[in-house]
Amino acid sequence: MQKSAIITGISGQDGAYLSEQLLKKGYRVIGLVRGDNAIGIKGLQYLKIEKRVEIVECDLLDISQIIKLLIQYHPDEIYNLAAQSSVSQSFQQPIGTFQFNTLSVYNLLEAIKLVNKKIRFYQASSSEMYGKVNNLPINENSLLHPLSPYAISKASAHWICKNYRESYGIFVCCGILFNHESYLRSTNFFVKKIIQESIKISKGLQDKMTVGNIDIKRDFGYAPKYVEAMIKMMQQDEADDFIICSGKSESLRNMIYYLLDKQGIDHKKCEISDKLFRPSDIDDIYGDNTKAKSKLNWDNSMTTYQLLDLLLEEELISSVQCYLKSHTT
Ligand code: NAP
């Protein structure tokens, strides 16, 4: 029988790639959006799958809407990707971030408990939950010490999920994903920003790029590869939590200089602004993906620099296609 999956946050980066992979596996995919707008599905359009995903409006803060959806679509799996996902923005909107990122999870799990406890649930947890790190690499047993409102909201949601698994036996798994990037990443995230802005500088369309603290280190991977792990987690015999990461961190400064060097741009074109520093930040973080390797048979596919090469190429191809389109229509 055909399996069906509901994806919240379908309009985001991971929502698009996850839809593509579930469709390839023969799933019926129902994607939830908060508003009725075409911009929201541009990731699906980019992957040319917008006609194959059923888009439904749903306010995840209203449990009655979720209950109705579960009764109407009787999904086998729910992938909960919707969240205010920007660490920087969470410092501007701490309460809104906390409210949405926790209450939406409570509503979804409570609805599952009321309607059908057999529905499997995936929660998008985050490496940001570990924050102030004592021991590296981070594994599934490392202590949580969140350093931002976003991280606090994700840590709370993580514990809500564990509680529904332990108290009610619901199949709930948390994918603790480290930073993962792609062409579909929003422009307000670091890697997408430095790729787009370095291209603009190389073409003389922009003078310089302004960045915040680039002496921090992060563990980066490729979104389509990380999304594969979400599906694998949901097919296990028992629900569990998994760290998904590359296992290595890289400094943001080195990543910027790599992109500038590749395009023959002077390092002076990168300017640091104290205004872009966060009130608190993680210095260095990388994970240990041993559990995912052994239990999910999942492995990271590329180094940070291979990732930058791939993303730069895709961005360049896309900018040429946009140029050609605007000059032929
Ligand atoms: P993303 O591109 O920012 O997408 C977030 C999604 O959540 C969008 O569909 C967005 O809808 C939706 N959303 C945000 N606020 C909402 C609200 N108040 N009500 C309803 N929907 C709302 O994020 P992503 O990169 O795909 O990440 C997917 C999930 O993984 C997120 O939960 C994120 O926190 C988590 N995560 C991501 C990373 C990463 O490196 N990408 C790492 C660890 C964890 P709109 O289009 O309407 O704004």
Side-chain angles (χ1 to χ4, degrees):
M1 217 175 78
Q2 185 186 31
K3 276 193 183 178
S4 62
I6 286 182
I7 302 177
T8 75
I10 193 92
S11 56
Q13 166 187 264
D14 292 2
Y17 290 112
L18 178 62
S19 302
E20 184 182 47
Q21 292 186 24
L22 288 172
L23 287 169
K24 270 191 197 148
K25 291 184 183 296
Y27 277 71
R28 176 186 184 191
V29 177
I30 300 111
L32 306 192
V33 290
R34 55 172 146 176
D36 179 21
N37 65 47
I39 300 166
I41 56 162
K42 69 177 192 311
L44 301 179
Q45 287 164 343
Y46 181 75
L47 300 177
K48 300 188 173 52
I49 52 170
E50 75 277 14
K51 294 202 174 82
R52 299 176 60 204
V53 174
E54 294 164 61
I55 300 292
V56 181
E57 258 185 84
C58 179
D59 177 359
L60 294 174
L61 296 183
D62 178 356
I63 191 170
S64 64
Q65 290 188 36
I66 301 171
I67 289 174
K68 274 190 214 149
L69 273 178
L70 299 194
I71 293 170
Q72 185 180 350
Y73 290 97
H74 41 85
D76 300 287
E77 297 169 10
I78 297 179
Y79 292 84
N80 184 36
L81 310 181
Q84 192 302 94
S85 67
S86 156
V87 174
S88 304
Q89 204 173 321
S90 77
F91 282 106
Q92 310 304 321
Q93 303 168 352
I95 297 162
T97 300
F98 185 80
Q99 268 178 335
F100 182 77
N101 291 1
T102 55
L103 291 185
S104 55
V105 178
Y106 252 132
N107 280 341
L108 285 158
L109 287 168
E110 193 59 21
I112 289 176
K113 190 178 117 204
L114 293 170
V115 176
N116 176 7
K117 281 167 67 176
K118 290 205 170 118
I119 298 171
R120 294 184 168 209
F121 185 82
Y122 171 87
Q123 169 63 10
S125 290
S126 165
S127 56
E128 290 286 326
M129 301 187 304
Y130 297 101
K132 195 167 180 179
V133 184
N134 288 324
N135 290 307
L136 286 170
I138 297 290
N139 66 31
E140 289 79 1
N141 300 318
S142 298
L143 283 180
L144 306 187
H145 187 140
L147 284 177
S148 67
Y150 168 77
I152 291 169
S153 73
K154 283 290 180 179
S156 305
H158 189 72
W159 280 107
I160 293 168
C161 287
K162 281 179 178 286
N163 186 242
Y164 272 74
R165 183 165 72 210
E166 288 164 3
S167 304
Y168 306 112
I170 296 173
F171 188 104
V172 180
C173 30
C174 301
I176 307 164
L177 272 55
F178 281 60
N179 296 58
H180 48 282
E181 311 298 320
S182 74
Y183 175 79
L184 295 181
R185 190 71 142 143
S186 301
T187 47
N188 55 329
F189 285 90
F190 172 76
V191 173
K192 181 79 175 179
K193 173 188 153 93
I194 60 168
I195 287 181
Q196 281 195 328
E197 297 196 3
S198 64
I199 292 175
K200 284 188 186 155
I201 296 170
S202 76
K203 291 185 174 165
L205 299 171
Q206 182 173 319
D207 183 40
K208 59 184 183 210
M209 66 168 79
T210 310
V211 291
N213 182 3
I214 54 172
D215 290 316
I216 54 172
K217 294 171 93 182
R218 290 287 184 278
D219 175 332
F220 288 97
Y222 186 44
K225 186 71 196 166
Y226 280 33
V227 157
E228 269 176 39
M230 298 178 186
I231 303 174
K232 285 181 176 242
M233 273 176 229
M234 292 283 267
Q235 316 312 315
Q236 296 289 292
D237 291 337
E238 275 182 30
D240 205 348
D241 304 330
F242 292 90
I243 295 262
I244 302 298
C245 63
S246 79
K248 288 199 173 105
S249 62
E250 191 52 75
S251 95
L252 306 195
R253 183 181 292 276
N254 288 347
M255 291 166 70
I256 292 177
Y257 288 173
Y258 179 78
L259 283 173
L260 296 183
D261 288 345
K262 229 183 142 162
Q263 296 171 89
I265 304 168
D266 194 322
H267 291 187
K268 289 195 191 102
K269 293 281 180 185
C270 174
E271 201 174 76
I272 313 284
S273 165
D274 291 357
K275 288 189 190 133
L276 295 178
F277 279 46
R278 292 170 181 165
S280 49
D281 214 338
I282 306 171
D283 293 330
D284 184 11
I285 189 165
Y286 54 93
D288 172 357
N289 56 20
T290 308
K291 185 173 168 186
K293 272 184 189 158
S294 67
K295 288 201 166 175
L296 302 178
N297 195 22
W298 177 91
D299 205 353
N300 177 53
S301 53
M302 59 183 84
T303 67
T304 308
Y305 295 102
Q306 287 169 330
L307 174 69
L308 290 176
D309 287 344
L310 182 114
L311 298 183
L312 180 64
E313 193 184 326
E314 194 167 353
E315 199 74 39
L316 284 167
I317 292 170
S318 164
S319 64
V320 171
Q321 282 169 345
C322 285
Y323 176 84
L324 290 175
K325 209 172 161 194
S326 65
H327 283 74
T328 49
T329 49

